[in-house]
């Protein structure tokens, strides 16, 4: 039981490790190639696309490239993106990169993007025989005593060949001579040198000096060789060569060491005395690079710095020092100088890839760039940390090796910030740490994500009627924060109707400026206000838009004269009213009814009598239009009274209309023939007068009979009834063309209803106020028709009639009514009159009148003025 927790912990560790490895970016294994050095540029090393299993077409799409090691400044290999071949980009010298190492491998990184993928390339550089053996000196001087015995050996520094293997020095050939042979020896350190072996004793007296040509041959193909001249001077014997204290010397030198800094001192001793024991030092084998960096004191053997030491240029140097006595005997020691790294290189930031500009609708976590950071130092001095400023919606995500991905951390909005200057800072782990910065500029590309927004939620335009077409009403303005065409606003009217007509027939809008113009002239009497919808649309794809409501308010001007409904204006009809002779002062005689299509004070009407036959007999209500007697009628008053009434509105300037009203002061029908003296100069001829008199006579007889019958029936029921159920349409001249609702202004300011009863010889006028006639409003295109039972009863609570019946005329009372239905005025006007005589209208005449001693007026509002019923 105790083993279970341990097993679970191990299993959890394995699972966690697997999840971690899956989260890492893709790192594939090495791809190895082998090729010879000194290949020409463009030479194919191998097909890398095939070797990594990638289609050739995807190399360019994934931005495939070769990155050399961080310390290398040269690009030796490249990729042919069309064929997928790995080709040589620059000359590769194996000796330059690897020196005498038996194996020379160059490391490169194959980098693929989207997604990020890294392949490590190992290029094995094969040596070719491109270097000939070289001796340290062109002439080697040897001073050999003649006492030297056979078999004496004299060290000859071996030739150096930069190639390796069989391409290095393979054999030596000494020019034929009778005294010396040449042999190759190997030191304990593994280096080779040659020995000139005395094969036959020298005889200074026979030959004081000789020059021997030594040739070193390598094993390459073609074979290369190098030569040196051995100048042998026969001297006395020097049998002890200098001996170094160490075969190999090692030294450590910090990079950036100043000039003349001591590195190490080598020391050799010679057992001989005198000149034969004096030892001098010199470099026997040293590279050109090392020769520029180090110097050797010939007397002391001290090696010092003479050039700039850079660890990144070379971490290790090997030189060979030869110690020689006064007569040419010598020995050699090896000096190894290790350079220690100093944090003298700041990190370098390379921008490998960048997506610029970035659409503002990219989702958080989108990769927009790849950063590579390299530090030429080593160990901890090479460890680098990267960061960016905190106020930008971006972050660096560590990727493969020393690569970082620059990704977004939030939603971008070009309208808030259109450009970002991202400063990337890289700091190494050295002491003291070094850092460097690089600024990356990123632009945010605009998308159409903002609709136009109007500056106001709604607009109002005020215009007076009768405006000129094309006049400017108002201007709408919408702003779009997007860029270029996404922010270009175009205005247009949305389809709609105003009073049944398309809105475009009333208004137009400038698509560029948003200025709204009137297409036509407006009439306040047709409509007071209307609303239109204006759309602001941008030029994006897809376009975005917004709407706003524009309310147009039309103000009234005094452009309509008052319209007289009753009596008919001059030129339209002839109207005569009958006034009893016994009428008292203040009695209601008639009423002038007028309306004004304007509104407000432009429709406030006032009535004035501008001319009358007897100026002191009648007066008219200033605002009611009611014509009343100012005094009692006397016998001296003229029977025929002519009144000219002017109706004015209250506009600026004031407009007016006039009408003529003919009044006949009479009590009975016997006086009707006197009407023949009334002048009808403007309207009627004598023939018309005769016809009217004839019609009145016939009609009076017939109607009197009907009235008597109806009167008997009414008396039996004790309820007054309307004796006549007929309706005759008033001529169209009584109707103004259009009327607007005056809302209580003008003559017809309220719904009211009153009756006036007058009888022949009566000295009083009885009025009775009853209910409104609103229920009797006429619909359009109809006339008022009522049955006797539809009328309300006239009388007190007990039902007794109050109608005065003291009519002395033999003719029965005749009742007729005027019914006027006004469109838009909601007004109904009824006139009821029982005259003493009747003038019948023929079809050719323009007026029809019934005149009686009984007078009644009823008015109320209706919705449509369509007909005038008699």
């Amino acid at each position: 039981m105790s083993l279970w927790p341990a097993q679970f912990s191990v299993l959890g560790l394995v699972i966690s490790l697997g999840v971690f490895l899956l989260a890492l970016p893709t790192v594939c294994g090495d791809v190895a190639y082998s090729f010879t050095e000194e290949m020409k540029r463009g030479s194919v090393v191998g097909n890398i696309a095939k070797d990594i299993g990638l289609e050739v077409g995807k190399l360019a799409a994934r931005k495939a490239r070769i990155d050399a090691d961080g310390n290398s400044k040269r690009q030796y290999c490249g990729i042919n993106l069309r064929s997928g071949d790995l080709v040589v980009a620059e000359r590769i010298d194996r000796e330059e990169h690897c020196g005498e190492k038996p194996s020379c491998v160059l490391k490169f990184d194959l980098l693929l993007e989207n997604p990020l993928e890294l392949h490590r390339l190992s290029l094995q550089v094969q040596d070719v025989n491109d270097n000939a053996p070289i001796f340290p000196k062109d002439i080697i001087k040897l001073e050999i005593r003649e006492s030297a015995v056979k078999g004496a050996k004299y060290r000859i520094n071996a030739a150096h060949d930069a190639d390796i293997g069989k391409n290095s020095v393979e054999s030596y050939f000494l020019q034929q001579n009778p005294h010396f042979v040449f042999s190759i020896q190997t030191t304990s350190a593994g280096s080779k040198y040659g020995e000139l072996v005395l094969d036959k004793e020298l005889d200074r007296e026979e030959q004081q000096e000789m020059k021997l040509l030594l040739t070193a041959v390598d094993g390459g193909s073609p074979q290369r060789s190098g030569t040196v001249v051995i100048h042998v001077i026969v001297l006395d014997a020097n049998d002890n060569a200098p001996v170094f204290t160490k075969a190999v010397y090692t030294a450590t030198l910090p990079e950036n060491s100043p000039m003349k800094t001591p590195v190490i001192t080598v020391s050799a001793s010679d057992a001989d005395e005198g000149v034969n024991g004096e030892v001098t030092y010199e470099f026997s084998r040293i590279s050109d690079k090392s020769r520029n960096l180090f110097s050797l004191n010939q007397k002391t053997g001290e090696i010092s710095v003479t050039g700039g030491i850079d660890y990144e240029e070379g971490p290790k140097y090997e030189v060979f020092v030869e110690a020689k006595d006064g007569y040419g005997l010598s020995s050699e020691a090896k000096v190894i100088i290790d350079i220690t790294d100093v944090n003298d290189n700041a990190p370098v930031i390379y921008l490998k890839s960048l997506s610029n500009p970035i659409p503002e609708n990219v989702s958080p976590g989108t990769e927009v760039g790849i950063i590579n950071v390299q530090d030429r130092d080593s160990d901890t001095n090479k460890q680098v940390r990267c960061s960016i400023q905190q106020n930008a919606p971006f972050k660096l995500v560590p990727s493969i090796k020393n690569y970082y991905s620059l990704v977004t951390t939030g939603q971008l909005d070009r309208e808030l910030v259109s450009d970002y200057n991202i400063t990337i800072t890289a700091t190494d782990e050295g002491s003291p740490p070094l850092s460097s910065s690089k600024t990356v500029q990123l632009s945010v590309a605009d998308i159409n994500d903002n609709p136009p927004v109007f500056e106001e939620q709604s607009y109002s335009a005020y215009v007076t009627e009768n405006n000129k077409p094309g006049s400017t009403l108002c201007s709408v303005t919408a702003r779009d924060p997007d860029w270029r065409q996404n922010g270009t606003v175009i205005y247009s009217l949305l389809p709609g109707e105003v009073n049944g007509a398309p809105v475009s027939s009333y208004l137009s809008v400038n698509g560029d400026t948003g200025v709204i113009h009137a297409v036509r002239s407006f009439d306040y009497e047709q409509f007071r206000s209307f609303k239109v919808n204006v759309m602001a649309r941008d030029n994006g794809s897809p376009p975005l838009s917004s709407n706003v409501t524009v309310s147009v308010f039309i103000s009234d001007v005094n452009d309509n004269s008052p319209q007289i409904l009753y009596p008919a204006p001059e030129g339209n009809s002839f109207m005569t009213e009958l006034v009893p002779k016994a009428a008292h002062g203040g009695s209601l005689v008639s009423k002038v009814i007028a309306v004004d299509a304007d509104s407000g004070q432009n429709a406030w009407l006032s009535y004035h009598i501008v001319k009358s036959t007897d100026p002191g007999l009648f007066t008219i209500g200033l605002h009611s239009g009611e014509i009343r007697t100012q005094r009692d009628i006397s016998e001296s008053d003229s029977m025929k009274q002519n009144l000219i009434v002017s109706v004015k509105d209250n506009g600026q300037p004031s407009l007016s209309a006039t009408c003529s009203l003919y009044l006949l002061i009479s009590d009975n029908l016997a006086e009707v023939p006197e009407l023949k003296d009334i002048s009808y100069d403007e309207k009627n001829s004598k023939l018309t007068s005769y016809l009217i008199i004839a019609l009145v006579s016939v009609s009076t007889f017939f109607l009197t009979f009907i009235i008597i019958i109806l009167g008997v029936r009414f008396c039996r029921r004790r309820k007054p009834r309307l004796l006549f159920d007929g309706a005759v349409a008033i001529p169209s001249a009584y109707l103004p063309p259009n009327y607007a609702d005056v809302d209580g202004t003008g003559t017809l300011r309220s719904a009211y209803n009153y009756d006036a009863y007058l009888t022949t010889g009566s000295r009083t006028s009885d009025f009775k106020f009853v209910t409104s006639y609103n229920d009797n409003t006429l619909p359009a295109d109809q006339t008022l028709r009522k049955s006797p039972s539809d009328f309300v009863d006239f009388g007190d609570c007990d039902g007794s009639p109050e109608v005065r019946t003291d009519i002395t005329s033999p003719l029965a009372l005749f009742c007729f009514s005027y019914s006027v239905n006004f469109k838009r005025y909601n007004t109904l006007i009824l006139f009821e009159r029982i005259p003493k005589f009747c003038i019948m209208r023929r079809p050719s005449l323009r007026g029809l009148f019934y005149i009686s001693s009984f007078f009644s007026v009823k008015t109320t509002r209706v919705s449509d003025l369509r007909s005038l019923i008699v």
Side-chain angles (χ1 to χ4, degrees):
M1 297 297 291
S2 62
L3 295 177
W4 282 100
Q7 293 175 353
F8 280 126
S9 62
V10 172
L11 179 60
L13 179 60
V14 172
I15 294 174
S16 300
L17 181 59
V19 172
F20 174 76
L21 292 176
L22 289 175
L24 290 176
T26 305
V27 180
C28 300
D30 287 354
V31 180
Y33 295 94
S34 178
F35 66 103
T36 59
E37 63 173 330
E38 304 294 341
M39 294 182 69
K40 295 181 179 180
R41 292 184 180 180
S43 300
V44 177
V45 177
N47 191 290
I48 196 168
K50 178 179 179 182
D51 295 334
I52 66 174
L54 185 69
E55 295 180 9
V56 175
K58 292 186 178 180
L59 290 175
R62 296 185 62 181
K63 301 179 181 179
R65 58 184 175 272
I66 298 295
D67 279 352
D69 187 73
N71 294 331
S72 177
K73 297 182 180 179
R74 302 172 64 183
Q75 190 75 21
Y76 292 98
C77 294
I79 301 177
N80 188 329
L81 298 179
R82 290 178 295 180
S83 62
D85 292 332
L86 179 66
V87 298
V88 176
E90 290 188 22
R91 171 182 172 271
I92 299 177
D93 187 1
R94 189 203 67 81
E95 288 75 25
E96 177 184 351
H97 293 282
C98 302
E100 297 180 359
K101 293 180 181 179
S103 176
C104 184
V105 179
L106 301 182
K107 298 289 186 177
F108 299 94
D109 291 337
L110 171 61
L111 183 65
L112 301 173
E113 295 183 16
N114 299 322
L116 186 61
E117 184 176 346
L118 185 67
H119 294 269
R120 293 188 175 89
L121 304 182
S122 298
L123 303 184
Q124 180 76 34
V125 183
Q126 303 295 331
D127 184 47
V128 297
N129 191 25
D130 58 338
N131 293 282
I134 299 175
F135 287 92
K137 296 181 180 180
D138 295 333
I139 299 176
I140 300 174
K141 290 184 178 181
L142 292 177
E143 295 178 348
I144 303 174
R145 290 186 178 273
E146 62 180 349
S147 60
V149 296
K150 183 180 179 180
K153 297 179 181 180
Y154 301 94
R155 182 186 179 93
I156 303 297
N157 290 328
H160 175 69
D161 194 333
D163 298 325
I164 61 173
K166 68 177 183 178
N167 294 326
S168 62
V169 178
E170 186 176 68
S171 61
Y172 292 86
F173 299 95
L174 183 63
Q175 182 183 356
Q176 279 189 343
N177 66 90
H179 297 284
F180 296 95
V181 293
F182 191 82
S183 66
I184 300 299
Q185 301 295 328
T186 303
T187 66
S188 60
S191 62
K192 292 183 179 182
Y193 64 95
E195 287 183 340
L196 191 63
V197 180
L198 185 60
D199 188 54
K200 182 182 179 181
E201 292 79 3
L202 296 174
D203 187 0
R204 182 178 176 276
E205 290 68 28
E206 181 180 353
Q207 189 176 4
Q208 293 184 358
E209 66 181 81
M210 61 185 71
K211 292 182 179 180
L212 304 176
L213 183 63
L214 178 63
T215 301
V217 180
D218 62 22
S221 179
Q223 197 174 52
R224 295 178 181 271
S225 63
T227 61
V228 65
V229 175
I230 301 175
H231 185 192
V232 177
I233 300 174
V234 181
L235 297 175
D236 288 338
N238 182 21
D239 54 352
N240 290 293
V243 177
F244 282 97
T245 57
K246 293 180 181 179
V248 177
Y249 291 86
T250 59
T252 301
L253 180 67
E255 66 172 328
N256 301 328
S257 296
M259 296 292 186
K260 298 182 180 180
T261 300
V263 179
I264 194 172
T265 301
V266 296
S267 177
S269 61
D270 194 317
D272 295 328
E273 294 180 354
V275 177
N276 294 330
E278 293 179 0
V279 179
T280 58
Y281 303 93
E282 63 181 18
F283 288 121
S284 61
R285 283 189 292 170
I286 186 171
S287 66
D288 293 337
K289 184 177 182 180
S290 299
R291 193 180 300 276
N292 295 329
L293 298 178
F294 304 102
S295 65
L296 176 63
N297 190 312
Q298 291 183 348
K299 297 296 183 180
T300 63
E302 182 184 71
I303 300 175
S304 59
V305 176
T306 58
I309 305 299
D310 191 353
Y311 174 86
E312 288 70 41
E313 295 293 333
K316 183 178 182 180
Y317 296 93
E318 293 182 0
V319 297
F320 292 87
V321 178
E322 180 183 31
K324 183 187 298 185
D325 61 19
Y327 290 101
L329 295 181
S330 64
S331 63
E332 187 181 64
K334 182 178 182 181
V335 180
I336 300 175
I337 304 173
D338 291 320
I339 308 300
T340 58
D341 184 41
V342 176
N343 190 28
D344 61 340
N345 291 283
V348 180
I349 301 172
Y350 297 98
L351 183 61
K352 296 295 183 179
S353 176
L354 183 65
S355 299
N356 195 17
I358 314 167
E360 62 178 321
N361 62 342
V362 296
S363 58
T366 301
E367 181 182 83
V368 297
I370 296 176
I371 307 298
N372 178 241
V373 182
Q374 297 182 7
D375 194 317
R376 298 181 63 196
D377 296 321
S378 63
D379 300 331
T380 57
N381 296 330
K382 191 176 184 179
Q383 302 300 318
V384 179
R385 302 187 310 271
C386 285
S387 63
I388 60 176
Q389 71 268 30
Q390 299 298 320
N391 58 347
F394 300 93
K395 68 177 180 178
L396 286 176
V397 178
S399 186
I400 305 168
K401 202 175 178 180
N402 50 356
Y403 287 90
Y404 295 84
S405 295
L406 181 63
V407 299
T408 59
T409 59
Q411 193 68 42
L412 304 179
D413 191 346
R414 191 205 66 84
E415 287 70 44
L416 296 178
V417 181
S418 60
D419 295 281
Y420 291 94
N421 290 322
I422 304 171
T423 301
I424 302 172
T425 303
T427 306
D428 60 27
E429 298 288 343
S431 180
L434 300 179
S435 63
S436 62
S437 299
K438 187 177 185 66
T439 300
V440 178
Q441 185 176 9
L442 285 175
S443 299
V444 181
D446 183 52
I447 64 169
N448 193 26
D449 58 344
N450 291 283
V453 177
F454 284 95
E455 293 182 348
E456 299 180 17
Q457 293 184 353
S458 62
Y459 291 84
S460 297
Y462 298 90
V463 59
T464 58
E465 64 174 329
N466 304 324
N467 59 292
K468 293 183 179 180
S471 59
T472 300
L473 301 186
C474 68
S475 176
V476 297
T477 304
R479 307 293 182 186
D480 194 322
D482 291 325
W483 193 48
R484 289 188 176 176
Q485 66 178 15
N486 293 334
T488 302
V489 179
I490 300 174
Y491 303 93
S492 62
L493 289 175
L494 290 178
E497 290 187 354
V498 177
N499 281 4
V503 68
S504 59
S505 63
Y506 288 89
L507 300 178
S508 67
V509 62
N510 189 305
D512 297 325
T513 63
V515 176
I516 298 177
H517 301 276
V519 176
R520 63 165 66 176
S521 178
F522 300 130
D523 188 356
Y524 177 85
E525 286 69 45
Q526 290 184 355
F527 50 86
R528 296 181 179 182
S529 64
F530 61 91
K531 293 182 178 181
V532 297
N533 292 322
V534 178
M535 179 180 69
R537 175 181 59 83
D538 57 32
N539 260 342
S541 180
L544 300 178
S545 63
S546 59
N547 301 335
V548 71
T549 299
V550 179
S551 300
V552 180
F553 298 95
I554 304 170
S555 58
D556 183 47
V557 297
N558 192 27
D559 59 341
N560 290 282
S561 300
Q563 298 291 314
I564 300 176
L565 304 179
Y566 182 84
E570 287 186 336
N572 293 336
S573 63
F574 171 75
M575 181 66 68
T576 301
E577 297 286 353
L578 185 66
V579 180
K581 292 181 179 180
H584 294 292
S587 300
L588 180 63
V589 174
S590 183
K591 180 177 176 65
V592 176
I593 300 175
V595 293
D596 195 313
D598 294 321
S599 66
Q601 67 176 9
N602 295 330
W604 295 350
L605 302 181
S606 60
Y607 301 84
H608 309 274
I609 296 177
V610 298
K611 184 178 180 181
S612 64
T613 302
D614 188 348
L617 182 58
F618 299 101
T619 184
I620 188 169
L622 180 63
H623 299 295
S624 65
E626 295 177 347
I627 299 175
R628 297 177 181 272
T629 57
Q630 293 191 72
R631 57 178 174 80
D632 294 344
I633 296 177
S634 64
E635 295 294 336
S636 63
D637 291 329
S638 173
M639 181 180 181
K640 295 175 289 183
Q641 297 287 333
N642 184 14
L643 301 180
I644 298 178
V645 178
S646 173
V647 182
K648 296 182 179 180
D649 58 27
N650 199 35
Q652 293 296 332
S654 176
L655 301 178
S656 63
T658 59
C659 66
S660 295
L661 186 66
Y662 298 95
L663 303 177
L664 180 64
I665 301 176
S666 177
D667 284 335
N668 52 64
L669 295 177
E671 299 173 357
V672 170
E674 299 178 7
L675 292 175
K676 63 185 177 180
D677 297 330
I678 299 177
S679 175
Y680 299 94
D681 298 336
E682 298 179 1
K683 303 299 179 180
N684 302 298
S685 64
K686 292 183 179 181
L687 178 61
T688 302
S689 300
Y690 296 152
L691 292 175
I692 292 175
I693 293 173
L695 289 174
V696 169
S697 301
V698 175
S699 299
T700 300
F701 179 80
F702 177 74
L703 294 177
T704 301
F705 179 75
I706 299 299
I707 291 172
I708 293 173
I709 295 176
L710 293 178
V712 173
R713 295 182 62 185
F714 288 170
C715 289
R716 291 178 181 178
R717 297 183 181 180
R718 299 183 61 83
K719 294 181 181 180
R721 299 294 183 184
L722 189 62
L723 302 178
F724 185 70
D725 191 29
V728 181
I730 287 295
S732 60
Y734 281 81
L735 299 177
N738 293 294
Y739 295 94
D741 190 357
V742 297
D743 292 335
T745 62
T747 302
L748 307 175
R749 287 186 293 272
S750 62
Y752 64 93
N753 178 17
Y754 65 90
D755 294 342
Y757 301 93
L758 297 91
T759 58
T760 303
S762 174
R763 307 299 296 177
T764 64
S765 298
D766 297 333
F767 294 86
K768 179 180 180 181
F769 292 85
V770 295
T771 59
S772 173
Y773 280 83
N774 288 339
D775 295 336
N776 299 327
T777 301
L778 293 179
D781 302 326
Q782 294 184 17
T783 58
L784 177 65
R785 296 189 178 278
K786 293 186 179 180
S787 63
S789 61
D790 294 332
F791 287 85
V792 297
D793 296 337
F794 297 94
D796 53 13
C797 298
D798 61 358
S800 60
E802 297 186 35
V803 179
R804 302 176 65 94
T805 57
D806 54 345
I807 300 176
T808 58
S809 172
L811 296 177
L813 293 176
F814 175 72
C815 176
F816 70 95
S817 65
Y818 290 49
S819 178
V820 182
N821 191 357
F822 290 88
K823 181 180 181 181
R824 304 173 74 97
Y825 267 84
N826 215 15
T827 304
L828 175 65
I829 304 176
L830 303 177
F831 294 94
E832 294 181 309
R833 185 91 186 266
I834 302 178
K836 271 196 169 183
F837 60 90
C838 176
I839 302 176
M840 300 299 294
R841 177 188 174 191
R842 287 177 34 159
S844 62
L845 301 180
R846 298 182 60 84
L848 175 62
F849 301 89
Y850 297 97
I851 302 175
S852 173
S853 61
F854 183 72
F855 177 80
S856 175
V857 178
K858 295 181 181 180
T859 65
T860 188
R861 291 184 181 274
V862 294
S863 61
D864 193 11
L865 176 59
R866 303 305 295 266
S867 62
L868 185 61
I869 303 175
V870 178

